[in-house]
Amino acid sequence: VNNNGVVSFGTMVPEFTPQPFPLPGHRPFVAPYWADVDTRLGGDVFYRQSRDPQLLARLAQDLAPAVPPGDPPPQPTWAFVATWDRVAYFGAASDKVNTFQAVLASDGVSCFVLLNYGDLQWTTGIANQGDPHTGLGGIPAQAGFNSGDDVHYYNVPGSRTPAVQSLSHRSNLGVPGRWAFRVDHFEATEGPPETP
């Protein structure tokens, strides 16, 4: 779990400047909100693995709308939860904070990524030309996932634009602030967003 709003596999992601997917270098990771997070100025990052039946039952319910009609409903047996709670941005001269979460879930065969968004008050740190008082401007955050194979990736609409701040009001499931993707077999690839 990287401080900058990324869960990576096999190697860390030290960059605080978000880039659209796919990324060069075969680096698989999930980015609920890849941006210049600075927990020294506020907030915490928590993560855990779980096989708790109550958590898994709730997760199965949350993921059910992500499965096409006729497919078996998700029944995860394992989950990994990473939460960025009320985190500040680099160079913040305000008390603006963001809360977001990535949940990875699997039953050993099917795998899902669930992205949850609470209050999003900023998009950019000052190292990415963001305003120190508003946390806006410059190069806004990236959201989505990158499989590392240059073929399977997804840029959540609005990534790297000011619209990324509205992720808590939008959804691909009909539940504001919740985005879910089945990632063990991926059927659609969205190209990189236009550079603002």
Side-chain angles (χ1 to χ4, degrees):
V1 175
N2 299 264
N3 195 58
N4 58 0
V6 172
V7 176
S8 58
F9 306 92
T11 185
M12 62 183 240
V13 177
E15 297 92 3
F16 51 83
T17 301
Q19 301 168 30
F21 303 139
L23 296 178
H26 304 290
R27 297 182 300 165
F29 65 88
V30 175
Y33 206 82
W34 183 12
D36 201 358
V37 173
D38 191 344
T39 53
R40 297 171 301 178
L41 298 176
D44 294 291
V45 180
F46 304 101
Y47 58 92
R48 65 187 169 119
Q49 291 188 74
S50 180
R51 293 187 183 273
D52 176 64
Q54 286 182 308
L55 173 68
L56 296 172
R58 178 175 174 195
L59 194 49
Q61 186 177 31
D62 290 347
L63 291 170
V67 177
D71 282 6
Q75 295 296 323
T77 57
W78 171 88
F80 181 84
V81 182
T83 306
W84 288 259
D85 182 43
R86 300 186 51 77
V87 293
Y89 56 94
F90 179 72
S94 74
D95 59 359
K96 292 181 179 285
V97 293
N98 287 346
T99 298
F100 53 91
Q101 181 181 72
V103 182
L104 313 179
S106 179
D107 62 6
V109 177
S110 58
C111 301
F112 293 87
V113 170
L114 182 68
L115 305 177
N116 291 310
Y117 297 94
D119 193 17
L120 298 176
Q121 299 176 355
W122 61 268
T123 64
T124 320
I126 64 168
N128 290 321
Q129 297 82 48
D131 183 286
H133 300 285
T134 65
L136 305 175
I139 302 171
Q142 164 74 13
F145 53 86
N146 187 65
S147 69
D149 65 4
D150 298 330
V151 176
H152 301 97
Y153 57 91
Y154 187 76
N155 295 292
V156 173
S159 290
R160 296 185 78 236
T161 75
V164 75
Q165 190 178 9
S166 68
L167 287 175
S168 59
H169 305 292
R170 297 184 291 125
S171 173
N172 67 346
L173 300 176
V175 178
R178 180 169 296 150
W179 299 76
F181 308 93
R182 184 168 178 179
V183 294
D184 56 287
H185 68 85
F186 194 71
E187 297 171 357
T189 299
E190 178 185 318
E194 300 281 330
T195 303

